[in-house]
Amino acid sequence: MNESSPTRETGPGAAAAGLAASRRRRLALIAGSTAAGLLLALLGTLLYGLLFPAPALATLDDVDARVAEALASATPPPPNSALVYQVIFPSLVFIQTQVEGAPQSGGVGVGSGVVVNESGAILTALHVVVDAVEIEVIFADGTHAGAEILTTEPESDIAVLQPDGLPEVVVPAVLGNSNAVRVGDLTYAVGNPLGLAGSLSAGVVSGLNRTLPIEQGGLQLEGLIQFDAAVNPGNSGGPLLNRTGQVIGIVTALANPSRQDSFTGIGFAVPIGSAGGAAGLPAY
């Protein structure tokens, strides 16, 4: 008796079954690859998190601490007065005079001035130099020179000096507009009070268009700027400045009810619009 061998199905049914089996194998392979990829991605994410942990969220206390640290380390800007002084310093002049017949001062007078043009002309107060038999000027860089009076305006107590020598670099001051000055504006007086060279004091404009009699000559100064920045003998002839360092006046006097040469809270300056005319400067 012959054993019968298994027979292989043929026909459309067998082909369809084979195709379905092939699809199942491909799907199984895709599913396995996807699962492996997801597992690798998960492991990679965990490994990255271990190597590079996320920064902790800042608390309000952390923010406050950082702000306080930044404020403590910040360098504050210089005060406006320091900037003004840097602007005017190269133009300042120390004036020393020899005066005959003044035993109370040893025959030596001290005043201030300011360079106002590239020729080195120095604007100052007339009473600083009017009785001088010899005038010496010292520029900001230490250069010494003799000087002579070039022009005067007694009605404004203004004189212009021309030195016989100049520093290597002449730095004229920047002139402001005295017509724009208002009561309450910040102002700075720079000069050589009591011989203390290059001193600065700060205050405000206290009044405008003041009139002040001159003891000698029967004249009076008019249109003066009143200010409360401290001035003393030696400040006369120095510049009165606005908040940007521009010259708005030339210091000429201080209120002196006690007849003592000391500051009592009120100073006066000739507006630069008037004073500058003696040096041939344009009026504002």
Side-chain angles (χ1 to χ4, degrees):
M1 180 177 171
N2 295 330
E3 293 182 359
S4 59
S5 57
T7 58
R8 181 177 297 172
E9 293 185 6
T10 59
L19 182 59
S22 176
R23 287 178 177 174
R24 285 193 296 272
R25 286 193 296 273
R26 286 199 298 272
L27 291 174
L29 289 174
I30 292 172
S33 298
T34 301
L38 292 175
L39 180 60
L40 289 175
L42 179 61
L43 291 175
T45 301
L46 293 174
L47 182 60
Y48 184 86
L50 292 174
L51 295 176
F52 306 101
L57 294 177
T59 65
L60 290 177
D61 290 339
D62 294 333
V63 173
D64 292 341
R66 293 292 180 86
V67 171
E69 182 181 353
L71 291 176
S73 62
T75 302
N80 192 69
S81 55
L83 299 176
V84 166
Y85 189 77
Q86 292 173 12
V87 170
I88 195 61
F89 180 76
S91 308
L92 293 178
V93 179
F94 189 105
I95 299 175
Q96 185 169 288
T97 61
Q98 293 292 329
V99 182
E100 292 183 350
Q104 70 276 11
S105 62
V108 177
V110 173
S112 306
V114 60
V115 178
V116 292
N117 61 28
E118 295 180 354
S119 299
I122 300 167
L123 204 58
T124 187
L126 176 59
H127 72 265
V128 171
V129 296
V130 65
D131 296 323
V133 295
E134 183 179 339
I135 303 172
E136 182 183 26
V137 295
I138 306 172
F139 293 93
D141 69 345
T143 299
H144 289 241
E148 61 180 13
I149 299 175
L150 190 61
T151 60
T152 65
E153 285 190 357
E155 66 275 14
S156 299
D157 190 33
I158 291 296
V160 179
L161 307 181
Q162 184 60 55
D164 58 21
L166 296 174
E168 290 187 9
V169 179
V170 177
V171 184
V174 178
L175 306 184
N177 182 358
S178 53
N179 291 326
V181 176
R182 299 170 299 177
V183 173
D185 285 348
L186 287 175
T187 192
Y188 305 90
V190 188
N192 311 301
L194 307 177
L196 300 173
S199 298
L200 177 144
S201 59
V204 298
V205 173
S206 305
L208 299 171
N209 297 318
R210 300 305 196 199
T211 299
L212 188 70
I214 300 177
E215 292 183 1
Q216 297 178 351
L219 298 176
Q220 63 181 16
L221 303 177
E222 298 178 345
L224 300 178
I225 299 171
Q226 177 189 332
F227 60 93
D228 69 353
V231 291
N232 283 286
N235 271 112
S236 291
L240 184 70
L241 310 171
N242 62 18
R243 67 187 312 275
T244 62
Q246 298 175 335
V247 179
I248 57 172
I250 298 297
V251 176
T252 187
L254 53 87
N256 199 358
S258 64
R259 303 299 178 184
Q260 298 294 320
D261 287 335
S262 58
F263 183 59
T264 57
I266 300 175
F268 298 96
V270 179
I272 194 61
S274 300
L281 303 174
Y284 288 92

